[in-house]
Amino acid sequence: MRNRSQFVRRTAATVAGLALAATGFGVAGALQANAATTKPVAATQPAVAKTVTIKADKATAKAWAKVSFSGKTTGIAKNTVVQVQRFENNKWVNFPATTKVTAKSTYSVWVQSGRTGVNKFRVVSANTASAPVSVTITK
């Protein structure tokens, strides 16, 4: 019903504008009649920047012990996949651990690594990477 009444108002305004233009009030009168029925355009909201954080539950762990990561996201939808990555041979490689963003914009996931020494991990979600976190794995 609302769309029909808008159509009727706009049509009437156009007809009135044409009548004004024909009677000598010119184009300005036609534009004024039509302008009275148009709605202002709402300003678009800026997009929220996507961010993801990571925190390890321990800085040092024995080989093959569970290390838990948790963090918060901003601008990333619920149920979006969070992929753990490890820095290997000067590049980030997907680690076999994933989870999903919760309704509260958080996540938690755990990993096990047998690679001794300092392991750098990060998470990636919605093409957004966290800062790396280091975990030292001992024998």
Side-chain angles (χ1 to χ4, degrees):
M1 202 57 160
R2 179 179 170 176
N3 287 338
R4 182 175 178 197
S5 63
Q6 284 179 346
F7 174 74
V8 170
R9 280 196 310 266
R10 287 185 180 161
T11 303
T14 302
V15 170
L18 292 174
L20 286 172
T23 59
F25 285 105
V27 177
L31 291 176
Q32 277 183 327
N34 196 24
T37 62
T38 59
K39 293 183 180 180
V41 177
T44 56
Q45 296 293 325
V48 176
K50 294 179 185 177
T51 63
V52 61
T53 64
I54 187 171
K55 184 172 74 172
D57 69 336
K58 53 188 88 156
T60 303
K62 295 235 182 234
W64 303 112
K66 286 184 179 180
V67 178
S68 295
F69 298 122
S70 61
K72 295 182 180 184
T73 65
T74 303
I76 299 175
K78 173 185 170 188
N79 290 328
T80 303
V81 173
V82 177
Q83 172 70 57
V84 177
Q85 292 183 332
R86 180 168 58 187
F87 197 67
E88 301 175 12
N89 300 320
N90 293 321
K91 62 182 179 178
W92 289 102
V93 178
N94 286 348
F95 200 80
T98 61
T99 189
K100 291 186 178 182
V101 176
T102 68
K104 293 184 177 183
S105 298
T106 62
Y107 73 89
S108 64
V109 62
W110 57 269
V111 299
Q112 292 175 297
S113 177
R115 182 175 293 203
T116 58
V118 176
N119 285 244
K120 285 188 179 182
F121 292 98
R122 73 177 186 179
V123 291
V124 177
S125 185
N127 295 321
T128 304
S130 70
V133 65
S134 295
V135 179
T136 303
I137 305 296
T138 62
K139 288 188 178 193

Coordinates of all heavy atoms in Angstrom, one line a residue, residues 17 25 45 52 58-59 62 69 72 76 78 87 97 99 104-105 114 124 126 131 134 139:
G17 N 3.9 19.5 -12.0 CA 5.1 20.2 -12.5 C 5.0 20.5 -14.0 O 5.4 21.5 -14.4
F25 N 5.3 29.0 -15.6 CA 6.1 29.1 -14.5 C 7.5 28.5 -14.7 O 8.4 28.6 -13.9 CB 5.5 28.4 -13.3 CG 4.3 29.2 -12.7 CD1 3.0 28.8 -12.9 CD2 4.6 30.3 -11.9 CE1 2.0 29.6 -12.4 CE2 3.5 31.1 -11.4 CZ 2.2 30.7 -11.7
Q45 N 27.1 4.0 6.0 CA 27.9 3.8 7.2 C 29.3 3.3 6.7 O 29.4 2.4 5.8 CB 27.3 2.7 8.1 CG 25.9 3.1 8.6 CD 26.1 4.3 9.6 OE1 27.1 4.4 10.3 NE2 25.1 5.2 9.6
V52 N 41.6 -9.5 14.0 CA 41.6 -10.7 14.7 C 42.9 -10.7 15.6 O 43.9 -10.3 15.2 CB 41.6 -12.0 13.8 CG1 42.7 -12.0 12.9 CG2 41.4 -13.2 14.6
K58 N 50.1 -20.7 26.9 CA 51.5 -20.9 27.5 C 52.5 -20.5 26.5 O 52.3 -20.6 25.2 CB 51.7 -22.4 27.9 CG 51.4 -23.4 26.9 CD 51.4 -24.8 27.4 CE 50.0 -25.1 27.9 NZ 49.6 -26.5 28.0
A59 N 53.7 -20.0 27.0 CA 54.8 -19.6 26.1 C 55.7 -20.8 25.8 O 56.4 -20.8 24.8 CB 55.6 -18.5 26.8
K62 N 55.9 -28.8 26.2 CA 56.6 -30.0 25.8 C 56.1 -30.5 24.4 O 55.0 -30.1 24.0 CB 56.3 -31.2 26.8 CG 56.9 -30.9 28.2 CD 57.8 -32.0 28.6 CE 58.3 -31.7 30.0 NZ 59.8 -31.8 30.0
F69 N 45.0 -21.6 21.8 CA 45.0 -20.2 21.3 C 43.5 -19.7 21.4 O 42.6 -20.4 21.2 CB 45.4 -20.1 19.8 CG 46.8 -20.6 19.6 CD1 47.1 -21.6 18.7 CD2 47.9 -20.0 20.2 CE1 48.3 -22.0 18.4 CE2 49.2 -20.4 20.0 CZ 49.4 -21.4 19.1
K72 N 39.9 -12.6 19.9 CA 38.6 -11.8 19.5 C 38.7 -11.3 18.1 O 39.8 -11.1 17.6 CB 38.5 -10.6 20.5 CG 38.2 -11.0 21.9 CD 38.0 -9.8 22.8 CE 37.8 -10.2 24.2 NZ 37.5 -9.1 25.1
I76 N 34.1 -9.5 11.6 CA 34.1 -10.8 11.0 C 32.9 -11.6 11.5 O 32.6 -11.6 12.7 CB 35.4 -11.6 11.3 CG1 36.6 -10.8 10.8 CG2 35.3 -13.0 10.8 CD1 38.0 -11.4 11.2
K78 N 29.9 -14.3 12.4 CA 29.7 -15.5 13.1 C 29.9 -16.7 12.1 O 29.4 -16.6 11.0 CB 28.4 -15.5 13.8 CG 28.0 -16.8 14.5 CD 26.6 -16.8 15.0 CE 26.2 -18.2 15.5 NZ 24.8 -18.2 15.8
F87 N 54.7 -20.3 10.9 CA 55.8 -19.8 10.0 C 56.9 -20.8 9.8 O 57.6 -21.2 10.8 CB 56.4 -18.5 10.7 CG 57.1 -17.6 9.8 CD1 56.5 -17.0 8.7 CD2 58.5 -17.5 9.9 CE1 57.2 -16.2 7.8 CE2 59.2 -16.7 9.0 CZ 58.6 -16.0 8.0
A97 N 44.6 -27.1 12.0 CA 43.7 -26.7 13.1 C 42.9 -25.5 12.7 O 43.4 -24.5 12.3 CB 44.6 -26.3 14.3
T99 N 38.8 -23.5 13.5 CA 37.6 -23.4 14.3 C 36.8 -22.3 13.6 O 37.0 -21.9 12.5 CB 38.0 -23.0 15.8 OG1 36.8 -23.1 16.6 CG2 38.6 -21.6 15.9
K104 N 29.8 -14.3 19.9 CA 30.4 -13.2 20.7 C 31.7 -12.7 20.1 O 32.4 -12.0 20.8 CB 30.6 -13.7 22.1 CG 29.4 -14.0 22.9 CD 29.6 -14.4 24.3 CE 28.4 -14.6 25.1 NZ 28.6 -14.9 26.5
S105 N 31.9 -13.0 18.8 CA 33.1 -12.6 18.1 C 34.4 -13.1 18.7 O 35.4 -12.3 18.7 CB 33.1 -11.1 17.9 OG 31.9 -10.6 17.2
G114 N 55.3 -31.1 17.4 CA 56.5 -31.9 17.8 C 57.8 -31.2 17.3 O 58.9 -31.7 17.6
V124 N 44.3 -16.7 10.7 CA 43.7 -16.0 9.6 C 42.2 -16.2 9.5 O 41.8 -17.4 9.6 CB 44.4 -16.4 8.3 CG1 43.8 -15.6 7.1 CG2 45.9 -16.1 8.4
A126 N 38.7 -14.4 7.3 CA 38.2 -13.4 6.4 C 39.3 -12.6 5.8 O 39.2 -11.4 5.8 CB 37.1 -12.6 7.1
A131 N 48.5 -10.8 14.6 CA 49.9 -10.7 14.8 C 50.4 -12.1 15.2 O 49.6 -12.9 15.8 CB 50.2 -9.7 15.9
S134 N 54.6 -16.4 19.7 CA 55.7 -17.5 19.7 C 55.5 -18.4 20.8 O 55.1 -18.0 22.0 CB 57.1 -16.8 19.9 OG 57.4 -16.0 18.8
K139 N 61.7 -30.7 24.3 CA 61.6 -32.2 24.3 C 61.1 -32.8 25.6 O 61.1 -32.2 26.6 CB 63.0 -32.8 24.0 CG 63.4 -32.6 22.6 CD 64.7 -33.4 22.4 CE 65.1 -33.2 20.9 NZ 66.1 -34.1 20.4

